[in-house]
Amino acid sequence: MSDIKVIEREELKEKPQGPIGFGQLFTDYMFTMDYNKEEGWHNAVIMPYQNIEISPAAQVLHYGQAVFEGMKAYRQGDDIILFRPDENFKRMNKSNARLNIPEVDGEFLLDALQQLVRLEQDWIPSGQGESLYIRPFVIATEPYLGVHAATEYKFMIILSPVGAYYGDDQLMATRIYVEDEYVRAVRGGVGFAKVAGNYAASLAAQTRASELGYHQVLWLDGVEQRYIEEVGSMNIFFVINGKVVTPELNGSILPGITRKSILQLAEYLGYEVEERRIAIEEILSSEYVSEIFGTGTAAVISPVGSIRYKDQEVVINDGVTGPVTQRLYDEYTAIQEGKKEDPFNWCLKIK
Ligand SMILES: Cc1ncc(COP(=O)(O)O)c(C=O)c1O
């Protein structure tokens, strides 16, 4: 693809003062490119952040052909880094393939992303637990009311400076509701892909859980409704007999990049790690489950203080952050923030 055109804005927005929360502020610029059958991906532009115009018949609005990614840029002193961005573009192409969306060029997009983040570097916050959240996504824009794989798409990247995902305290212990009616994903479905429809399908359960006072839903498998899969926007880990255990990837769980990184880091730090099937009753009845935590780009590592399944509520580690969770959080964020060396080469410095 040819070079990226840059359209400058006349005036920059005011930068936020004080707490920035999560996902409501957007920077000055965005990246977009288009796809059609004749030209493939083309028209790559960095332009002022603005509304987009699509036809009311755009296929995404009717049949939900949409995928997205989430990653972060951090400040490390005077440097800016992207955390494992190649993994996100690889995962996006797996999601694209599942939804019959044309493949994107990960290398080209990595260059485009670096150019965009460089331009927007003043938006990267530097407070504790703060970063620049990066949201690449693809939508089907072809105006057509028949069901088929669209022939036109738009790819975009928007940026949002963010703080802690759950309120001010990054390590606030969350309360989790185990969903026993609805399921998130089934074998052969789209659970492993980061497709928009997965999140739409999760909202009724998420709303019910929040009305009952819980932060997140824990999903069980779609066949027996017995084996633990993941949380709304995080993978889930258990400390069982000192071992760091997480459900094995089975096609219906999203293969989280934080999950993959935490498995590597835990092993590096000397913990025994295990990926296997975990039945909900094992967690509820075992006196050996000492900690539970979620992992995801947005929330990083999020301790779970209690878990409810049907009428049973189990408090974990007295409802506070346990030592393994704390250590993994400290070590992981130290690598992201450049406070400790990065033995895995996860941080890509933006030139
Ligand atoms: C359903 C779901 N599971 C797990 C994750 C964690 O994935 P990652 O660590 O790549 O952010 C996310 C967030 O992207 C998610 O939406």
Side-chain angles (χ1 to χ4, degrees):
M1 186 158 5
S2 55
D3 282 350
I4 299 165
K5 186 169 149 195
V6 179
I7 303 174
E8 290 196 17
R9 334 175 35 114
E10 278 167 21
E11 250 181 76
L12 297 181
K13 299 179 194 172
E14 289 277 319
K15 306 281 184 301
Q17 309 288 330
I20 47 181
F22 192 95
Q24 286 164 313
L25 292 167
F26 303 99
T27 66
D28 289 305
Y29 289 93
M30 63 188 190
F31 171 85
T32 79
M33 66 178 184
D34 301 308
Y35 178 91
N36 63 32
K37 283 227 148 140
E38 298 70 42
E39 297 162 284
W41 288 109
H42 65 287
N43 197 21
V45 190
I46 289 176
M47 64 167 76
Y49 182 94
Q50 60 194 273
N51 292 345
I52 56 168
E53 199 168 277
I54 53 173
S55 160
Q59 285 197 266
V60 65
L61 301 176
H62 305 273
Y63 311 121
Q65 224 187 341
V67 307
F68 67 98
E69 271 303 326
M71 58 178 123
K72 281 179 171 171
Y74 295 85
R75 273 191 193 287
Q76 292 191 349
D78 290 339
D79 292 332
I80 298 161
I81 66 106
L82 295 170
F83 190 76
R84 309 195 79 176
D86 48 325
E87 292 284 338
N88 291 89
F89 290 123
K90 270 194 244 159
R91 187 170 65 187
M92 174 174 261
N93 271 330
K94 289 189 181 144
S95 304
N96 283 6
R98 182 64 182 81
L99 289 205
N100 224 327
I101 294 173
E103 192 178 346
V104 291
D105 178 345
E107 257 175 58
F108 171 77
L109 288 178
L110 198 46
D111 280 351
L113 176 60
Q114 292 187 66
Q115 193 176 330
L116 179 65
V117 172
R118 207 180 304 121
L119 178 68
E120 294 285 64
Q121 54 186 280
D122 291 348
W123 282 95
I124 308 176
S126 54
Q128 182 62 35
E130 293 178 342
S131 57
L132 185 69
Y133 187 79
I134 299 165
R135 167 57 56 85
F137 61 103
V138 184
I139 54 171
T141 49
E142 184 196 356
Y144 178 57
L145 290 185
V147 180
H148 77 170
T151 56
E152 292 167 27
Y153 297 88
K154 192 174 259 306
F155 171 98
M156 304 184 68
I157 304 176
I158 56 173
L159 307 175
S160 175
V162 296
Y165 194 61
Y166 302 107
D168 293 339
D169 180 4
Q170 192 87 47
L171 279 178
M172 175 198 73
T174 51
R175 302 180 68 219
I176 301 282
Y177 184 88
V178 183
E179 176 58 41
D180 63 353
E181 182 187 355
Y182 300 125
V183 297
R184 174 185 175 276
V186 290
R187 196 183 304 143
V190 290
F192 70 92
K194 208 158 164 67
V195 308
N198 281 340
Y199 298 83
S202 75
L203 295 176
Q206 176 63 44
T207 301
R208 183 166 59 191
S210 25
E211 280 165 5
L212 292 169
Y214 295 86
H215 297 97
Q216 284 273 353
V217 167
L218 177 64
W219 296 102
L220 300 177
D221 74 277
V223 180
E224 294 176 61
Q225 291 186 261
R226 176 168 181 225
Y227 295 100
I228 292 172
E229 299 235 306
E230 60 186 313
V231 193
S233 54
M234 296 187 292
N235 293 108
I236 188 97
F237 281 76
F238 303 88
V239 181
I240 305 177
N241 269 332
K243 203 188 270 186
V244 175
V245 186
T246 192
E248 67 192 357
L249 299 178
N250 58 1
S252 52
I253 295 174
L254 189 84
I257 293 156
T258 321
R259 173 190 182 279
K260 179 174 174 176
S261 308
I262 289 298
L263 283 169
Q264 273 176 274
L265 178 65
E267 202 159 30
Y268 176 81
L269 294 174
Y271 295 103
E272 225 181 302
V273 302
E274 192 173 29
E275 296 172 73
R276 65 167 166 88
R277 283 216 303 193
I278 305 166
I280 183 66
E281 58 271 22
E282 173 183 349
I283 297 308
L284 297 174
S285 63
S286 171
E287 57 196 278
Y288 303 114
V289 178
S290 54
E291 298 176 44
I292 305 181
F293 60 90
T295 63
T297 299
V300 190
I301 290 182
S302 180
V304 174
S306 68
I307 174 163
R308 169 161 162 195
Y309 178 61
K310 300 191 192 243
D311 291 333
Q312 194 181 350
E313 175 114 13
V314 175
V315 174
I316 309 294
N317 196 45
D318 295 328
V320 297
T321 306
V324 178
T325 310
Q326 183 74 52
R327 174 140 189 248
L328 289 170
Y329 175 83
D330 290 344
E331 297 282 341
Y332 191 64
T333 52
I335 293 174
Q336 291 178 323
E337 290 163 9
K339 293 178 182 146
K340 279 213 170 155
E341 66 151 327
D342 170 14
F344 310 99
N345 232 350
W346 285 337
C347 301
L348 174 74
K349 195 158 116 184
I350 294 188
K351 286 171 237 96

